[in-house]
Each structure stands twice: as structure tokens, then as C-alpha cells.
Amino acid sequence: MLGLFTWAHLPGEDDHRVGFRDAGLRPEVKRRIGSYIELIIISTLMIWSGLSLFFGGVYRRSVHADNLDLYVIDLDGGSVGANVTQTVMNMERSPSLPNWLVMDGVATLEDAKAWVHDKGWGALVINANTTDHLQEALTKGSAYDPSKAITLIESSGKHIVAEMLFVKTALSTAASQACLQYAVNQVDMYQTLNSAEDQTQTNFAALLNPLSYTTIDVSPEGFVLAPVMMTFGYLTCLLCTIGVLILWRLTTYAFFVKVRYRDLVLMWYFLLFCHSLIISMYVSFAILAFRGPDYNSLALTYTAATFFKIWFISAAVVFALALWLFTWFQFLTPQLLALPSICTVIPNTVSTLAAVELAPKFYYIMYAVPFFNGSRLVHHVVTGGYPTLRQNIGVLVAEIAFMIICLGIAIWIRQILVLRGISDAHGWYRGSLYFHSTIPYYKSDPASTEKRHGADQEQVISTSDAAHRGQLPSDSTLSAKNHNNRTLRNRAGSIEISDEHIDSVSLTTGNLAG
């Protein structure tokens, strides 16, 4: 009996084994070492590709902060509005700071709020009649509220991370600097132009603190989970999906051999769609549990409609990515399966963690990835901000339609490769060190192929007889039985693939094990 730590030679059991010093084993050892070196090179490329994609998208985001446009809107039309506008526009310009522009044609504060809600990152609004109210306070001593002079409008629902890091800071800094400079200038002018008699009716609180500001978030998303809510929700779904897709890829060889193409395609579409619905439902439940209908006063109320909207949006995202990855998995060998996964996971994750405007131009491709469009739709559902529904829905639908076509073509090609003996059960191709297929190569000699087919039929018959006698078939018999002659060779020696062959079955009829 072989023990766990048996070093001595065991007569009978070790007679057919060789050691690493055996000369006959050296060619095989060299081939294995070569394949392992190849695997190390592939892994190195995948690691550097993933790290470069991620760090390239989030590194030095402030360098591109000037891609964010903030606006000064003067509704006052007086000296206060002119001075504040000039102060803000004269502020230092830098790539690490958002860009300031002047917007004309806005009549009311509500119009400014609506514009930021729909299109903008933020705005500094000098409210109407600010100059008149301040002059009355200085000359007549009337009551004056400086916080009503300036309104800062932001939209955290557009991108909570970019809002917190750049927009909110830039708005408050510009407003504070403008208020302080105007206050200093006003005190100097007041001392120069007003006599002692005029100063008796002055509201000195308005004189020393003429301007202040209030902040309005037109699409609030300031709850704790907002920055990572959809990023980790979609990421978890995608990682779970990758495991399922790899399992299906490596364990469904018999389907490609025995199932008709039309049934095979419809089966994968149905399975991927059901998987997407089930796994995305958990995301919606998680958001309901941790965001909740009454999490805080921010964001919109979480209703039953919100739950289903998040569910179906997430299902569309997972379905699109599952179709995309499974298309690649049809052709790639096992050591390359991680490559499309990495190149899919990283850009999609970066698209939700970092604003596209803060990334290099290469990453503008993120406008088309499912994570970005799905997260934009969910943020609109939760906050009401960034209403680009037609664009985001259109991109998702187009991606799903395109990948449905691509997966159908990929399955067709994969089935041809399997039936012609070019690809095996695990995805290795003929000529590979690990290739092993029971289906003969379609370019092999017709006579030898027919002879092998006759031997296979004899083995199948003997297997059936053995089953009647209660004997289990051997591994070699099972291999022969698994061979399905769906490759028909005509007199010219070419291969014909026919779904009308007697061994072809559909998913609704027939026995895949037979």
C-alpha cells in the first residue's frame, strides 16, 4: 500500500513510473516549462493592463479639473452683480481648478436652478435686487439679510465625487473671496463718500458684512453610500457573473456536439437573461436595505417604482456585460479567459468612480460602457438629476442588441470548430500542448476516419451490451460514445455539417446523454 511519505521503490506500483532524471521525460518537462513561462508572460501583461487602466483613469484627476465648467449668473444687474462677476472672472486660472464662465439670458433663480439640474455642474448666482436692498440698508438703515445676496447652485446627483472634490470647493471659495473683497471695497468707499450725518442712518451690520451666500443642491445625493452605491453593486454582479460564465464555458462541450444551433443560441440567451434578472434583483434589495425610503432628508423618496427601476436597469447592465464576456469566452483558451474580464471590469469600475471629464481623453470611451450608463440612470431615478435618459437607454439597448448578434455568431463559429475537431472541451485548439478531442480532425485521411468511425460504432455496441450485463463502460468506451458523427465527409473529401443528422437533438426533445 502506498503511504503518504513513501520514498522507497515499490515493486509493481512504481514499475511504470519515471523520475525527473529520466531522459525520456526531458522533452515533456521542456514543453511544460515553456507553457508555464508563456503563462507568466500572459499574466504579467494582464496585470499591467488592469493596473494601467485603473490608475490611468483616477491618477491626477485635478489636472483635468478645468474640464468642469461653472457659471456666474448676474440677476442683479447693479453694482453688486458687476463687482462679484468681475472678482470671480479675475480669479486665478489653473488646470487644477474648474473653469469659470459668464451666462447671460437667465431671467430668474428658478431658471438657473433648472439649467444646473439638467445640464450644469454648478453656478454662482447674484440674486435680483441685491444692489437695491443693500443701498437701502446703508442709506435708510432698513433690515438686510446678506445670505440672500448670492446663491450657490450645485448638483451632487451629477457625480457625487466630482462635486465634493472640485465643484463644491470652487463655488464656496469663489463666493467667499468675492464677498470679502466687496466688503473691503465698500467700507473704503463708505468712509470716503459719506459724512458723519449720513452715517447715523446706516445699517452697520450690512456695511461690514454686505454679502454672504446660501447653497442649494438641486439633485441631492449626499447620503453616505452615494459615492460607491452603484460601483460596488454592479462590480459584485459582474464578478459573480464571470464565475458562472467560465463554468458554463468549460462544462457545456456536449451541448455544442449534440444540440442544434438554433436551440443552442436560444438556450444561452434565455439563461443569460434569467441570470441577469436574478442577480440584479439582489442589488435593488441591497439599495433598499441600506439606502431605505427614509434614510435621510436627501434624495428622492424610495418607492416601489424606484425598486423596480433600479432592478431592471441593473439587469440590463449585467445582461449587456454577460453577452459581451461570453462572446469572448467562446474563442479564448483557458489561460486567456481573465484578459477580457480585466479589460471589462476596470474601465467599467473607473467610469463610476471618476467623472469622465476628469480623466484623459482616452477614457472618454467610458461614455459607452454599461456601468456608466446604468449608474447615470440609477442616479437619475434616485436624485432626479442628470436627465439624459434617451442617451443612456439608447446606448444600453444598442449594446445589448449588438452583443446578441455577436454572441449568436460566436456560438455558430464555436460549434463549427468543435465539430471539425479544431477545438476541444476546454477551449484548446489543435496543435496546443493540452489539446484533446475525441472528434477527428476534418482534414484527416478519409479512410482512417471511416475506419475510426467503424471502431467507434463497435465500441458503442459493446458498451450497450455491457450495460445490459450490468457492467460499467471504461473511459475509452465513454470517449468513443461521446463522439458524435455530425461531420459528414462527401466523396470529394470535404466536410458537411448538417442539423438534420440523426444524432442531432433539440433542447425540448431527445436525450443529450444518449
Side-chain angles (χ1 to χ4, degrees), residues 6-263:
T6 302
W7 292 91
H9 178 78
L10 299 177
E13 296 187 11
D14 285 342
D15 292 343
H16 63 285
R17 299 189 177 102
V18 297
F20 282 103
R21 292 177 295 178
D22 192 286
L25 192 62
R26 290 175 184 174
E28 181 65 20
V29 171
K30 291 180 180 179
R31 288 194 295 269
R32 297 288 174 172
I33 292 177
S35 65
Y36 295 152
I37 293 175
E38 177 186 0
L39 184 60
I40 292 174
I41 295 174
I42 293 173
S43 301
T44 302
L45 293 176
M46 287 191 294
I47 290 173
W48 277 107
S49 299
L51 293 178
S52 299
L53 285 171
F54 180 78
F55 291 120
V58 299
Y59 176 64
R60 298 182 66 186
R61 288 175 290 187
S62 61
V63 173
H64 304 284
D66 56 349
N67 290 333
L68 306 180
D69 291 333
L70 302 180
Y71 291 86
V72 179
I73 302 176
D74 183 10
L75 301 180
D76 175 54
S79 61
V80 174
N83 278 273
V84 172
T85 300
Q86 183 178 4
T87 300
V88 174
M89 297 306 296
N90 290 337
M91 291 178 61
E92 179 185 359
R93 301 299 179 94
S94 171
S96 61
L97 298 174
N99 186 39
W100 283 99
L101 301 172
V102 176
M103 176 178 289
D104 299 322
V106 179
T108 64
L109 180 61
E110 294 302 320
D111 292 340
K113 290 162 60 176
W115 188 88
V116 173
H117 178 275
D118 294 341
K119 302 177 181 180
W121 284 95
L124 187 153
V125 180
I126 302 98
N127 294 321
N129 303 319
T130 298
T131 300
D132 296 338
H133 294 161
L134 181 58
Q135 287 300 321
E136 289 182 1
L138 296 177
T139 58
K140 299 179 181 180
S142 59
Y144 178 76
D145 185 359
S147 63
K148 295 182 180 180
I150 297 176
T151 301
L152 304 181
I153 304 175
E154 61 183 29
S155 177
S156 59
K158 188 175 180 70
H159 198 286
I160 183 64
V161 177
E163 286 284 340
M164 290 189 301
L165 293 179
F166 300 102
V167 176
K168 184 185 291 291
T169 303
L171 287 173
S172 59
T173 300
S176 299
Q177 184 172 339
C179 293
L180 178 60
Q181 184 170 336
Y182 187 85
V184 172
N185 294 337
Q186 178 174 262
V187 171
D188 293 340
M189 291 179 60
Y190 183 83
Q191 292 177 344
T192 303
L193 300 177
N194 291 275
S195 62
E197 295 180 358
D198 296 331
Q199 297 178 6
T200 57
Q201 296 181 352
T202 299
N203 184 335
F204 287 98
L207 174 64
L208 299 177
N209 185 25
L211 303 179
S212 185
Y213 60 88
T214 57
T215 302
I216 298 176
D217 193 343
V218 292
S219 57
E221 194 180 28
F223 51 91
V224 178
L225 297 179
V228 297
M229 178 177 64
M230 298 317 303
T231 301
F232 286 96
Y234 289 157
L235 181 61
T236 303
C237 288
L238 181 56
L239 294 178
C240 294
T241 301
I242 289 174
V244 174
L245 296 181
I246 293 177
L247 178 65
W248 287 347
R249 167 66 172 78
L250 299 177
T251 59
T252 55
Y253 179 74
F255 287 176
F256 287 92
V257 175
K258 282 191 166 292
V259 179
R260 291 189 179 96
Y261 168 74
R262 60 178 178 270
D263 297 285

Side-chain angles (χ1 to χ4, degrees), residues 180-385:
L180 178 60
Q181 184 170 336
Y182 187 85
V184 172
N185 294 337
Q186 178 174 262
V187 171
D188 293 340
M189 291 179 60
Y190 183 83
Q191 292 177 344
T192 303
L193 300 177
N194 291 275
S195 62
E197 295 180 358
D198 296 331
Q199 297 178 6
T200 57
Q201 296 181 352
T202 299
N203 184 335
F204 287 98
L207 174 64
L208 299 177
N209 185 25
L211 303 179
S212 185
Y213 60 88
T214 57
T215 302
I216 298 176
D217 193 343
V218 292
S219 57
E221 194 180 28
F223 51 91
V224 178
L225 297 179
V228 297
M229 178 177 64
M230 298 317 303
T231 301
F232 286 96
Y234 289 157
L235 181 61
T236 303
C237 288
L238 181 56
L239 294 178
C240 294
T241 301
I242 289 174
V244 174
L245 296 181
I246 293 177
L247 178 65
W248 287 347
R249 167 66 172 78
L250 299 177
T251 59
T252 55
Y253 179 74
F255 287 176
F256 287 92
V257 175
K258 282 191 166 292
V259 179
R260 291 189 179 96
Y261 168 74
R262 60 178 178 270
D263 297 285
L264 194 61
V265 170
L266 294 177
M267 177 195 73
W268 289 124
Y269 291 158
F270 178 75
L271 289 177
L272 291 173
F273 180 72
C274 291
H275 170 80
S276 303
L277 277 180
I278 294 173
I279 203 168
S280 60
M281 180 178 62
Y282 303 146
V283 175
S284 194
F285 274 124
I287 296 175
L288 173 62
F290 293 100
R291 161 63 176 86
D294 301 311
Y295 187 88
N296 58 23
S297 59
L298 299 178
L300 302 179
T301 303
Y302 198 108
T303 63
T306 306
F307 173 84
F308 285 102
K309 289 177 182 178
I310 295 177
W311 180 11
F312 296 143
I313 292 171
S314 303
V317 171
V318 176
F319 188 47
L321 291 172
L323 290 169
W324 162 261
L325 289 175
F326 205 50
T327 299
W328 284 102
F329 287 176
Q330 300 306 313
F331 304 110
L332 296 179
T333 52
Q335 81 269 31
L336 294 176
L337 290 180
L339 182 59
S341 304
I342 292 174
C343 295
T344 300
V345 170
I346 300 301
N348 277 274
T349 303
V350 172
S351 71
T352 56
L353 284 177
V356 180
E357 292 82 355
L358 300 177
K361 291 184 178 180
F362 169 79
Y363 288 89
Y364 283 10
I365 193 177
M366 294 190 299
Y367 281 118
V369 300
F371 270 30
F372 176 81
N373 291 281
S375 64
R376 291 297 91 199
L377 290 172
V378 171
H379 288 314
H380 174 70
V381 170
V382 175
T383 70

